[in-house]
Amino acid sequence: MENMKDLEDKVIAEVNGAEDLKTLEDIRLSVFGKKGIITAEMKTLGAMDASARIEKAKQLNALKTTLENAMDIKKNILEAAALNEKLKAETIDVTLPCRPEIQGRIHPVSKIYEEVVAIFGELGFEVAEGPSIEDQFHNFNALNMPLNHPARQMQDTFYVAHDKNTPFEMENAYVVRTHTSGMQIRTMENKKPPIRIIAPGRTYRSDMDATHTPMFHQVEGLVIDKTTTLAHLKGCLYDFVKAFFELDEIPVRYRPSYFPFTEPSAEMDIGCLKTKTELKVGAGNDWLEILGCGMVHPNVLRAGGIDPDVYQGFAFGVGIDRLAMLKYGIPDLRTFFESDVRWLKNYGFAPLDFSSLTGGLNGNGGSLR
Ligand code: PHE
């Protein structure tokens, strides 16, 4: 064997000069592989006499450690460089626009959802979220609808089966929420007045035609304070519809109605023009119902742990899908949930078209006033 020092210098020079992992691996094999130099040297030890063998083994082991260390260090350097190269090659410019052929679309319901949150956010409302599977206390009882209350029949409720081993008992079963009004109670349980929330989300009823689907979306609104009045309700909802339909003025009317959880209760209509081919919001002699509302019933405040002699408030419930049908002229609600990409291409929105009152709800300058 050549002088050990020469061998060490030679291998280390090769290691240092290696430009990639493959070259380094070849060097390692030429030294430590089956036919490698060090391997060959190790094999000679057996034939040597004891004292020479001990001496040589010591030197070989020292050399082995030195070379292995050098190779490890170089390997780390080359691996880091390879990773950097890879990262550089895979860099994505996130500021580039999406490629049109792979562009997804935002569903109109998601779009309206964002718009409604943006408008009420601007009016100082917080967003509250709650479960789709609800107990009957929150969905009915606490909303002034005790068991056997006739209003429960209005809602075509889906009941959720218990586990297989418990017999089904209608009065204790969970339901998939029939409206977002249960969030009024959940909010009162978690928050002290003043309260100003909206609760958007999915709701479910056993119903299906051109304007009803078994799953649909609502936004609940709840405001509670010591001096909240019907005038606040009217002002707030008027601001909302103006901002939502992006109109400076819009005819509205309130018709007396009935909800067990509000008293008095009303439905709000907006003025529109209906022709055979068109529905125009904000003009004409026709009316379109868009939401239910009222002053929170004292029993509901009590059920939520709030003293009705000190506090009062208003609540409203809007159908998000209905708003989408109106605003974008989509005639059949069932098509919303058919997952047809052609439909989504037609009615959907560009992914980066965020809704805000300053930027414009539809990119064309919506305003609260
Ligand atoms: N929960 C009612 C419905 O689903 C709407 C509503 C909410 C009415 C709040 C009044 C107050 O029809």
Side-chain angles (χ1 to χ4, degrees), residues 155 178-181 184 205 218 220-221 259 261-262 292-294 315-317:
Q155 303 219 342
T178 56
H179 52 181
T180 42
S181 298
Q184 293 186 29
R205 288 181 205 176
Q218 288 191 336
E220 194 77 13
F259 300 104
F261 33 92
T262 45
C293 57
F316 55 88

Side-chain angles (χ1 to χ4, degrees), residues 40 45 59-60 160 168 186 195 210 215 251 263 313 315 325 349:
L45 291 175
Q59 290 177 356
L60 275 176
V160 178
F168 182 77
R186 289 195 175 273
I195 289 172
M215 188 282 298
E263 180 60 36
M325 290 174 81
F349 292 86

